Amino acid sequence: MKQKDIKIPEATIKRLSTYINCLERLDDKGCQVVSSELLGESCQVSPAQIRKDLSYFGEFGVRGVGYATKSLTEEIKVILGLDCIWPTVLVGVGHLGHALLNFTFFREHGYRMVAAFDSDPGKIGTEVEEGLHIQPIEKLVETASREKAAIGIVTVPASSAQSTADLLVEAGVRGILNFAPFKVRVPDNITLRNVSIVSELDNLAYLLSNKKPRRRLKKKK
Amino acid sequence: MKQKDIKIPEATIKRLSTYINCLERLDDKGCQVVSSELLGESCQVSPAQIRKDLSYFGEFGVRGVGYATKSLTEEIKVILGLDCIWPTVLVGVGHLGHALLNFTFFREHGYRMVAAFDSDPGKIGTEVEEGLHIQPIEKLVETASREKAAIGIVTVPASSAQSTADLLVEAGVRGILNFAPFKVRVPDNITLRNVSIVSELDNLAYLLSNKKPRRRLKKKK
DNA sequence: AACTTATCGTGATAGTTATCACAATACCCA
DNA sequence: TGGGTATTGTGATAACTATCACGATAAGTT
Ligand SMILES: NC(=O)c1ccc[n+]([C@@H]2O[C@H](COP(=O)([O-])OP(=O)(O)OC[C@H]3O[C@@H](n4cnc5c(N)ncnc54)[C@H](O)[C@@H]3O)[C@@H](O)[C@H]2O)c1
Ligand SMILES: NC(=O)c1ccc[n+]([C@@H]2O[C@H](COP(=O)([O-])OP(=O)(O)OC[C@H]3O[C@@H](n4cnc5c(N)ncnc54)[C@H](O)[C@@H]3O)[C@@H](O)[C@H]2O)c1
């Protein structure tokens, strides 16, 4: 095991999250042991990359054999902090917010939606999910801090993103996942991640418009 | 202007997409000219990074002055291929698909949703957006190729992601944006991008569980 | 026209991440 | 029990990306 506190590449963390998925699927197929080669095949990552990623955190495999599917899954969950429940709140129950609230995957993977807020009076009280009623934005600080929400998801329009983030910080959340196309500012001790679906599509458009049939990039100089 | 065909960092492309956003907001505020410093301030990127990103594609600024807000916006759109319309189809009109279809941002930025498909007979014919009716999945190849769809968005369950991607390829799309948590395989000449919202949250969970109050990362060795 | 100021464009440099290659070693079987 | 095989864990290396520092230069000013 390497020592703690060396910098772990962000890309490694992203891959670990996908490994869990692939491992669970392989486990469903009856695979009790996986090699880095097989796992790599299944999640389209090179075997060496997988071993390197894991080696940042310890030794989880058996040389000559591979990794025990179930226990590796658990180990990775521990690494990512998914072995506990993260109380989460969502602000802005519009189209996207509604989709996220109904995304069962989250619940199955360590996140618990403890409250949802919106500023539209017409939406207050609506049940968006088993036992979860939309609350007025004015209740955010009170409710979120009472529920000890650790994560806040922002799905309000860009123009309200900053004020929403401010409320979440006031309520004591430690991390914010922002879907609005606006770069909000938060204090240093708050972890912020932006998800830009538009950028993903734009990236696709870029690749398509610059890909001439069969052209190969990578030309040096 | 540097020569074409050198490798552009993917991160650069992602940033260019966000620059457009910030530039449009600055333009709304009446800023006709922006310096890399001001733009950097607004989108939380270092001025040097912005200049470097742009320099991959040409010289767009005026030394001692800055960049003309409007024309830089247009230039970046050309770089990303957003100066034309991308006919796009979406498959799987569930919670997420519905949100994406109603996301006006896309329409305003060069993407035109030309068709939406689902396998649920109960959904066929429903109007999801001005003039856009859900079609049966059996019509995908016919409709998408007739409409010359270039991009396909996959929002079906993971178990159907591969077969959906196969249909899109058959229909002649050139790029696929996949939201399902399954690594689909496509031919070499198809551009594929995966969007993993779960990974984003997991990344947040990781950062939160490893951040001790006030600890500073970056310790060497 | 020379001088000043602001800010760009970019080569050089530092830092980060991925790939490679192989020593280490657990299991299997005779 | 010892030799063969498969597959890990990791140091070294290569590739990529960001940062820095400064020369270049356009516009305004005297
Ligand atoms: N729809 C998508 O597919 C999609 C994709 C990527 C990003 N986004 C971004 O996500 C955000 C939401 O998108 P959407 O399509 O769901 O929009 P939407 O208009 O459907 O939903 C926004 C919701 O936020 C609520 N709201 C507005 N101001 C608020 C405030 N100050 N406090 C609390 N609630 C408030 C509104 O009442 C509404 O219910 C936007 O910033 C959008 O750019 C959406
Ligand atoms: N909801 C979210 O916020 C969210 C977030 C991230 C990723 N995702 C992923 O996006 C996908 C869709 O999620 P969702 O929440 O919208 O699910 P959903 O069940 O609400 O929607 C899936 C839709 O796909 C349709 N469908 C199923 N099989 C199909 C097929 N073979 N061809 C065409 N249509 C088919 C279904 O009829 C349904 O309408 C899933 O893979 C999910 O993991 C969802």
Side-chain angles (χ1 to χ4, degrees):
Chain A
M1 154 109 85
K2 288 230 191 159
Q3 41 198 131
K4 220 58 202 273
D5 265 14
I6 63 165
K7 172 99 192 303
I8 313 291
E10 165 156 337
T12 289
I13 303 302
K14 199 157 193 173
R15 282 190 298 268
L16 287 177
S17 169
T18 68
Y19 297 162
I20 293 181
N21 246 289
C22 292
L23 285 167
E24 287 179 339
R25 213 164 31 242
L26 287 166
D27 183 52
D28 287 346
K29 283 204 280 183
C31 259
Q32 299 191 325
V33 172
V34 290
S35 63
S36 57
E37 169 138 18
L38 175 59
L39 179 55
E41 178 76 16
S42 147
C43 58
Q44 294 178 47
V45 173
S46 78
Q49 182 72 76
I50 291 177
R51 297 200 299 275
K52 182 62 119 180
D53 285 342
L54 294 174
S55 79
Y56 286 118
F57 300 96
E59 305 190 3
F60 305 107
V62 177
R63 291 166 195 229
V65 180
Y67 304 88
T69 312
K70 271 207 159 59
S71 78
L72 181 59
T73 311
E74 291 312 309
E75 296 279 14
I76 297 178
K77 284 189 178 174
V78 172
I79 293 168
L80 294 180
L82 301 180
D83 54 334
C84 57
I85 304 288
W86 292 97
T88 304
V89 297
L90 182 144
V91 191
V93 192
H95 290 105
L96 182 60
H98 195 258
L100 292 171
L101 286 173
N102 282 279
F103 190 32
T104 52
F105 218 83
F106 286 156
R107 240 167 300 153
E108 295 154 10
H109 284 78
Y111 303 94
R112 175 165 301 150
M113 220 48 96
V114 293
F117 305 92
D118 204 292
S119 61
D120 180 350
K123 292 188 173 178
I124 309 304
T126 312
E127 184 173 41
V128 277
E129 191 205 331
E130 188 67 28
L132 193 64
H133 295 261
I134 301 179
Q135 297 181 43
I137 188 72
E138 292 76 18
K139 290 271 193 167
L140 194 159
V141 176
E142 180 193 327
T143 307
S145 51
R146 185 183 63 237
E147 299 281 350
K148 302 211 186 324
I151 295 176
I153 299 180
V154 175
T155 47
V156 299
S159 55
S160 302
Q162 184 62 60
S163 60
T164 298
D166 293 345
L167 287 177
L168 287 168
V169 170
E170 194 185 334
V173 307
R174 299 175 52 213
I176 292 177
L177 193 66
N178 174 41
F179 285 86
F182 179 87
K183 287 276 188 300
V184 302
R185 274 164 210 284
V186 293
D188 275 358
N189 59 334
I190 305 292
T191 305
L192 172 69
R193 291 192 63 85
N194 293 292
V195 180
S196 177
I197 293 174
V198 174
S199 291
E200 296 293 339
L201 247 192
D202 287 353
N203 209 314
L204 198 51
Y206 167 76
L207 292 170
L208 293 183
S209 35
N210 288 82
K211 185 189 271 183
K212 297 283 169 301
R214 305 289 82 201
R215 186 162 71 84
R216 285 273 157 265
L217 293 172
K218 187 98 175 206
K219 197 182 292 177
K220 259 272 133 96
K221 255 278 138 76
Chain B
M1 153 109 86
K2 289 232 191 156
Q3 35 197 136
K4 219 58 202 268
D5 265 14
I6 63 165
K7 171 99 193 303
I8 314 292
E10 164 154 338
T12 290
I13 303 303
K14 198 157 192 173
R15 282 190 297 268
L16 287 177
S17 170
T18 69
Y19 297 162
I20 293 181
N21 245 290
C22 293
L23 285 167
E24 287 179 340
R25 213 165 31 242
L26 287 166
D27 184 54
D28 287 347
K29 282 204 281 183
C31 258
Q32 299 190 327
V33 172
V34 292
S35 63
S36 56
E37 169 139 16
L38 175 59
L39 179 55
E41 177 77 15
S42 147
C43 57
Q44 295 177 46
V45 173
S46 78
Q49 182 73 76
I50 291 177
R51 297 200 299 275
K52 180 62 117 181
D53 285 342
L54 294 173
S55 80
Y56 286 119
F57 300 97
E59 306 190 3
F60 305 108
V62 178
R63 291 165 196 229
V65 180
Y67 304 88
T69 312
K70 271 210 159 60
S71 78
L72 182 58
T73 311
E74 291 311 310
E75 296 279 13
I76 297 179
K77 285 189 179 175
V78 171
I79 292 168
L80 295 180
L82 301 180
D83 54 334
C84 57
I85 303 287
W86 292 97
T88 304
V89 297
L90 182 144
V91 191
V93 192
H95 291 106
L96 183 59
H98 195 257
L100 291 171
L101 286 172
N102 282 279
F103 191 33
T104 51
F105 218 83
F106 287 155
R107 239 166 302 152
E108 293 154 11
H109 284 77
Y111 303 94
R112 175 164 300 150
M113 219 49 95
V114 294
F117 306 91
D118 204 291
S119 61
D120 179 350
K123 293 187 172 175
I124 310 303
T126 312
E127 185 173 39
V128 278
E129 192 207 329
E130 188 69 30
L132 192 64
H133 296 261
I134 301 179
Q135 298 181 42
I137 188 72
E138 291 76 19
K139 290 271 193 165
L140 193 158
V141 175
E142 180 193 327
T143 308
S145 51
R146 185 183 64 237
E147 298 282 350
K148 302 211 188 319
I151 294 176
I153 298 179
V154 176
T155 48
V156 299
S159 56
S160 302
Q162 184 62 60
S163 61
T164 298
D166 293 344
L167 286 177
L168 287 167
V169 170
E170 194 185 335
V173 307
R174 297 175 53 211
I176 292 177
L177 193 66
N178 175 40
F179 285 85
F182 178 88
K183 287 275 187 302
V184 302
R185 274 164 209 284
V186 293
D188 276 358
N189 59 334
I190 304 293
T191 305
L192 171 70
R193 290 192 64 84
N194 293 292
V195 179
S196 177
I197 293 173
V198 174
S199 291
E200 297 293 339
L201 247 193
D202 287 353
N203 209 315
L204 198 51
Y206 167 77
L207 293 170
L208 293 183
S209 36
N210 288 83
K211 185 189 269 182
K212 297 285 169 298
R214 306 285 81 200
R215 186 163 71 82
R216 284 275 158 266
L217 291 173
K218 189 95 174 212
K219 197 182 290 176
K220 258 273 132 103
K221 257 277 144 70

